[in-house]
Amino acid sequence: MDLEIPFQLFREQFFEHMPYKIMWMDESGKIIYANGQFLKRLGYSPKEVKKLTIFDINPSATEESWATHWEKVSNEKVYSFKSVHQTKKGKFYDVEVSSHFFSNNGKNIIAAIVNDISESSFYKNLLNHAERMANVGGWKLNLQDGSLVVTEQALEIFETDTKDDLLPGKVIHLFQESEELKTLLSKAIRNGASYDVVLTFKGDDEHSKYIRCVTEPIVQKDKIVKIIGTYQDVTAQKEHELGLKLYKEIIDNAPDLIYIWDIHGKLIHYNEAVSKNLGFTKSELNDFHIYDLDENITPEWWREHFMELIEKKVLHLDWLITRKDHTKFPANIIANHLTYQGENLNCAIIRDVTQKNKRDKALFEALEEIKSLKDQLEIENEYLKEEIKQEFNFENIICRSEDYKVVLEKVNQVAPTDTTVLITGESGTGKELLARAVHDNSQRKEKPLIKVNAATLPSELIESELFGHKKGAFTGATEDKVGKFSLADGGTIFLDEIGELPLDLQPKLLRVLQEGEFDRLGGTKTIKADVRIVAATNRDLEKMVKEGKFREDLYYRLNVFPIHNITLRERKDDIPLLAQYFLEKYAAKAGKPFKRLGKKTIALLMNYNFPGNIRELENLIERAVILENGTTLNPGKWIPSTNGVSELKEDFKSFEAMQRDYIIKVLDKTNWRVSGPNGAAAILEMKDKTLFAKMKRLGIEKEVRLKR
């Protein structure tokens, strides 16, 4: 009851006439007074409001939040905040509240002065949205008290949260053109001068922005009281403008002539090359029409050309362009259809092709000459291939000797089949090269050629190497191993030095040859293998069979198609070729300039019997390259001794002499008939052509019989 007198007094004399909405609440949140403005806004009567609490007015309030609020206001005495209130009809609106704590007759009360901000918030939000969309931020500097007001968008443009960064003394340092802005701001503050400029701002990430700065001083009674302005991020527009400027510079500096014509044939734009190359002044070109460029162009032709361009978008033409002095030059024209502001335009790019035509003519003549030489070279190349290789195609084998071509003929015969091949011959004769030739000329050439040298493997490991083993099959077998026969599946396996294969392992190899299957060491599953076998040896297997050191059945399974590789002393014609090949090979490796063999060097090499065959010759040339210098390899200490050769010649004829005598003997038998079923070539099992070549090389002529 004690409060009724002051309440009545305030209502009648003060609160009821204030332009604010006011309500009082006790500690429990109960509303104990609300003035008329407040009642009107919420739609309650004075009687109804006395039954309400803060929780009815503010739907977001809870007992906890109210207790916290009460404590804060009681401590700070005054507290302002924004919130939402709800009318009797349930409509929400934004409010700004200023809460005041006071006591009356021992009763603690919070008096709230409420300001409706829904309308002002709307316009503020609208303004903020407009600023963001236009990328414009506003600011106002009060020159009387030095206060600065800055919008959120202005802060965002300058990538800062602190408005003081935009004070005149600080903002100038954010721009590259700081001195220019300093001068402009000074004139605005002192003289009231407006300005509108675009300056460069560098952010923290060193990324440049272009900012448009607009300032307008506010003058009252001849005194500048405020400066208002805007900052606008115009980076996109500025970069577009700079890009257009760059494109214009590129076009103006282009060597090609560039025109833009309208549909009536009027010249709208042109680059610098037009004036420079055609000799017209810019004043003349400004009134230029297409008909001034070429007197042969008529309005009818231009209309048809333009309509075709609109339809096809791009046209290519070859034309003669006329200069101002009436001289002409050939040109290629690319006409492009453009539209600008709804108008159809023809952008023509003209390129002078005078020099290009000259180059094309010279190139055509050169190509014709090259084509002629190429055809001639191909004919000569084919001839050389026939002469050197005949019908053979073994790229890794160097051969000129007719005797060795007989060996290659056998390779050529057996390669396309899957027949097992046994290559015999002395060490160093190149048996592996023949095995490679068999594989490379077979239908298995896309599959691998797997090589195994039986002489280089310990006898206890050969079985594992050939057939593989399972983990734990023997001591040291820590994991499964795939054998060479498995790796060669679908391809070829080359068993070098087959004569060294242990006798107890030969039955397993025989099984692969006969059945195409084998077992891994320690394995329980039989493995099938589609493998072609090419074997090689320098040993006499027939003798080993007689001595019980090689299985007879295995020998016959391997010897299906024997090829005997002749020694180097039997193919001496190949010595110069092979020596030259090895010279080039090892000179390149050693970085030496050797190009050829000396004549005396060739003669000495031809006179040596090479017991080590091609391998010995290769090693000999490699050693010579190391020891000697120059571009021609001459004889030196590296040349092997021929001791023993002369003594042999006293007792024995050379191999070629023996061949010569034997061929003459056969020719005598056939009455010197070479060809035909009863000719010497048939008896010697040689081709007619090969025998004739050998006779020529050995100097065998028909007159020899008379001399005999």
Side-chain angles (χ1 to χ4, degrees):
M1 293 297 293
D2 294 335
L3 288 174
E4 287 299 321
I5 295 174
F7 280 173
Q8 182 68 25
L9 182 63
F10 280 127
R11 280 198 298 268
E12 293 177 358
Q13 297 184 7
F14 189 73
F15 292 124
E16 292 299 331
H17 299 286
M18 289 185 70
Y20 304 110
K21 305 169 187 67
I22 300 172
M23 66 173 178
W24 291 6
M25 294 151 289
D26 63 14
E27 190 171 358
S28 68
K30 178 176 173 57
I31 299 175
I32 57 178
Y33 168 72
N35 71 349
Q37 291 280 354
F38 193 84
L39 295 173
K40 182 180 178 181
R41 183 69 178 91
L42 270 71
Y44 290 104
S45 66
K47 185 178 180 180
E48 289 174 324
V49 81
K50 288 183 179 181
K51 298 178 181 180
L52 301 177
T53 66
I54 186 61
F55 310 115
D56 299 310
I57 303 301
N58 185 347
S60 64
T62 63
E63 290 184 4
E64 266 187 33
S65 66
W66 174 252
T68 302
H69 179 69
W70 181 272
E71 183 178 356
K72 186 173 184 67
V73 177
S74 65
N75 290 333
E76 298 181 7
K77 305 307 179 185
V78 178
Y79 175 59
S80 298
F81 61 95
K82 293 179 181 179
S83 186
V84 176
H85 282 181
Q86 184 177 21
T87 66
K88 181 179 179 180
K89 292 183 178 181
K91 185 177 180 181
F92 297 97
Y93 63 97
D94 295 326
V95 294
E96 190 172 52
V97 182
S98 179
S99 295
H100 301 260
F101 186 84
F102 68 94
S103 297
N104 191 325
N105 293 332
K107 296 286 187 178
N108 293 330
I109 296 171
I110 287 181
I113 301 173
V114 183
N115 184 28
D116 190 341
I117 60 172
S118 294
E119 186 174 339
S120 63
S121 294
F122 169 77
Y123 288 110
K124 184 179 179 182
N125 289 335
L126 180 63
L127 181 60
N128 286 338
H129 282 300
E131 282 192 345
R132 279 195 294 274
M133 286 187 289
N135 219 354
V136 176
W139 60 279
K140 180 179 70 174
L141 177 65
N142 191 326
L143 297 180
Q144 294 176 320
D145 60 10
S147 62
L148 177 69
V149 178
V150 179
T151 66
E152 291 181 6
Q153 188 60 25
L155 295 173
E156 187 172 329
I157 288 172
F158 286 96
E159 302 169 4
T160 182
D161 297 325
T162 307
K163 70 174 184 177
D164 287 350
D165 288 345
L166 272 61
L167 285 167
K170 292 184 177 181
V171 74
I172 59 174
H173 299 296
L174 299 178
F175 292 94
Q176 287 184 3
E177 306 87 349
S178 57
E179 289 300 319
E180 180 183 350
L181 183 57
K182 181 179 179 181
T183 302
L184 292 171
L185 274 170
S186 178
K187 289 181 179 180
I189 294 171
R190 294 176 182 175
N191 306 326
S194 302
Y195 61 82
D196 185 343
V197 294
V198 175
L199 304 175
T200 309
F201 163 73
K202 267 200 181 301
D204 292 338
D205 58 357
E206 293 300 313
H207 176 68
S208 295
K209 287 183 182 179
Y210 294 100
I211 308 296
R212 183 185 179 192
C213 308
V214 181
T215 294
E216 184 73 34
I218 304 298
V219 182
Q220 293 180 359
K221 297 179 181 180
D222 299 327
K223 185 178 181 181
I224 303 168
V225 294
K226 295 177 183 177
I227 302 289
I228 63 171
T230 59
Y231 293 116
Q232 182 181 13
D233 186 346
V234 292
T235 304
Q237 299 95 305
K238 187 67 176 178
E239 288 179 346
H240 181 65
E241 178 185 328
L242 293 173
L244 289 176
K245 184 178 179 182
L246 174 63
Y247 296 148
K248 186 177 186 308
E249 288 182 3
I250 292 172
I251 290 172
D252 280 341
N253 286 286
D256 295 334
L257 283 64
I258 300 175
Y259 301 92
I260 297 180
W261 310 92
D262 68 9
I263 198 167
H264 305 294
K266 180 174 174 53
L267 182 60
I268 304 299
H269 186 72
Y270 57 89
N271 70 342
E272 295 290 337
V274 173
S275 175
K276 179 180 177 181
N277 291 304
L278 297 188
F280 295 100
T281 65
K282 291 187 177 180
S283 59
E284 289 174 324
L285 289 170
N286 289 339
D287 296 322
F288 215 65
H289 279 75
I290 187 67
Y291 316 114
D292 300 319
L293 180 66
D294 192 330
E295 60 184 12
N296 295 316
I297 295 178
T298 64
E300 293 77 14
W301 183 91
W302 180 251
R303 278 196 300 273
E304 290 179 6
H305 168 71
F306 216 103
M307 291 302 104
E308 184 182 5
L309 178 63
I310 292 173
E311 178 186 352
K312 296 182 178 178
K313 305 304 179 186
V314 178
L315 293 176
H316 293 263
L317 301 94
D318 291 319
W319 208 265
L320 278 177
I321 303 297
T322 305
R323 301 185 182 93
K324 185 179 178 179
D325 61 4
H326 301 294
T327 59
K328 298 183 179 183
F329 62 88
N332 174 259
I333 301 177
I334 302 176
N336 301 272
H337 175 237
L338 304 176
T339 56
Y340 180 70
Q341 295 182 345
E343 184 179 3
N344 291 309
L345 300 174
N346 179 341
C347 176
I349 302 172
I350 293 90
R351 175 164 294 181
D352 186 342
V353 295
T354 304
Q355 295 302 319
K356 178 179 179 298
N357 290 347
K358 289 181 180 178
R359 290 194 300 270
D360 288 348
K361 182 181 178 182
L363 180 61
F364 175 77
E365 292 173 352
L367 288 174
E368 284 297 308
E369 184 178 358
I370 290 171
K371 183 176 181 296
S372 175
L373 292 172
K374 178 174 176 289
D375 292 342
Q376 182 181 349
L377 185 62
E378 285 181 352
I379 293 170
E380 292 176 356
N381 193 35
E382 285 299 320
Y383 174 77
L384 288 173
K385 284 181 179 178
E386 287 297 319
E387 286 296 308
I388 294 172
K389 288 189 176 181
Q390 292 185 346
E391 66 272 29
F392 310 119
N393 183 27
F394 307 127
E395 295 180 358
N396 56 347
I397 295 177
I398 297 171
C399 169
R400 177 185 289 167
S401 165
E402 295 294 334
D403 293 323
Y404 197 66
K405 287 178 182 178
V406 175
V407 176
L408 296 183
E409 169 64 25
K410 290 189 175 183
V411 172
N412 196 53
Q413 290 172 340
V414 76
T417 71
D418 275 344
T419 302
T420 301
V421 178
L422 178 62
I423 303 172
T424 58
E426 293 182 10
S427 294
T429 54
K431 294 187 287 297
E432 184 177 330
L433 287 179
L434 293 182
R436 167 63 69 180
V438 170
H439 174 74
D440 288 345
N441 289 273
S442 73
Q443 296 179 354
R444 297 172 177 262
K445 62 184 178 182
E446 301 301 327
K447 295 292 183 177
L449 170 66
I450 303 298
K451 295 175 282 187
V452 181
N453 190 321
T456 62
L457 293 171
S459 57
E460 61 272 14
L461 293 180
I462 293 180
E463 183 174 3
S464 171
E465 190 70 19
L466 289 175
F467 306 113
H469 64 251
K470 298 293 288 183
K471 180 179 179 181
F474 52 84
T475 302
T478 56
E479 57 184 18
D480 290 354
K481 176 181 174 62
V482 177
K484 291 295 192 286
F485 271 96
S486 294
L487 293 175
D489 191 29
T492 305
I493 191 166
F494 174 51
L495 301 176
D496 199 7
E497 304 295 353
I498 191 67
E500 307 299 327
L501 191 69
L503 196 60
D504 59 348
L505 192 57
Q506 293 179 19
K508 279 203 168 187
L509 179 58
L510 182 63
R511 180 188 176 197
V512 178
L513 283 164
Q514 290 178 334
E515 310 296 337
E517 62 184 29
F518 60 90
D519 297 326
R520 285 186 187 178
L521 279 172
T524 58
K525 182 180 178 182
T526 297
I527 299 172
K528 291 284 186 180
D530 175 21
V531 179
R532 179 187 194 167
I533 295 177
V534 177
T537 183
N538 62 354
R539 301 185 66 177
D540 186 345
L541 293 186
E542 286 188 85
K543 183 179 179 183
M544 290 180 67
V545 169
K546 292 176 182 177
E547 294 173 350
K549 296 178 181 178
F550 201 87
R551 289 181 63 105
E552 185 178 19
D553 47 3
L554 177 59
Y555 169 69
Y556 289 120
R557 289 293 300 177
L558 290 172
N559 199 37
V560 177
F561 194 93
I563 298 177
H564 180 68
N565 200 19
I566 63 177
T567 62
L568 185 56
R569 56 186 172 274
E570 296 175 273
R571 46 180 291 204
K572 286 201 170 187
D573 286 355
D574 291 335
I575 289 177
L577 284 177
L578 291 166
Q580 180 65 31
Y581 170 77
F582 294 137
L583 180 67
E584 292 173 5
K585 174 182 175 181
Y586 289 107
K589 284 186 177 182
K592 290 196 173 184
F594 286 114
K595 299 294 182 184
R596 65 192 67 81
L597 297 158
K599 290 183 178 180
K600 191 172 182 181
T601 302
I602 295 173
L604 289 170
L605 291 175
M606 292 285 284
N607 195 42
Y608 181 61
N609 279 333
F610 285 101
N613 293 297
I614 299 173
R615 186 180 296 118
E616 183 183 3
L617 174 61
E618 181 176 5
N619 295 340
L620 195 64
I621 298 298
E622 182 179 8
R623 182 164 67 252
V625 168
I626 295 170
L627 295 174
E628 305 296 334
N629 292 297
T631 57
T632 301
L633 182 61
N634 293 310
K637 293 182 179 180
W638 59 274
I639 289 284
S641 170
T642 56
N643 290 342
V645 175
S646 58
E647 290 83 352
L648 288 172
K649 286 185 177 180
E650 292 178 4
D651 299 325
F652 300 99
K653 288 186 178 181
S654 70
F655 181 73
E656 288 190 352
M658 293 291 291
Q659 279 188 316
R660 187 174 183 278
D661 289 347
Y662 185 68
I663 291 172
I664 292 172
K665 184 178 180 181
V666 173
L667 286 168
D668 285 340
K669 180 72 175 177
T670 63
N671 198 26
W672 285 75
R673 179 183 292 277
V674 175
S675 305
N678 298 319
I683 295 173
L684 294 170
E685 297 183 358
M686 298 173 68
K687 287 187 175 181
D688 301 350
K689 185 178 179 181
T690 303
L691 181 55
F692 277 123
K694 185 174 283 292
M695 288 170 62
K696 184 177 180 181
R697 184 169 61 82
L698 296 175
I700 300 174
E701 298 179 4
K702 197 166 184 180
E703 288 76 8
V704 171
R705 180 174 57 172
L706 300 175
K707 294 177 184 178
R708 286 167 55 86

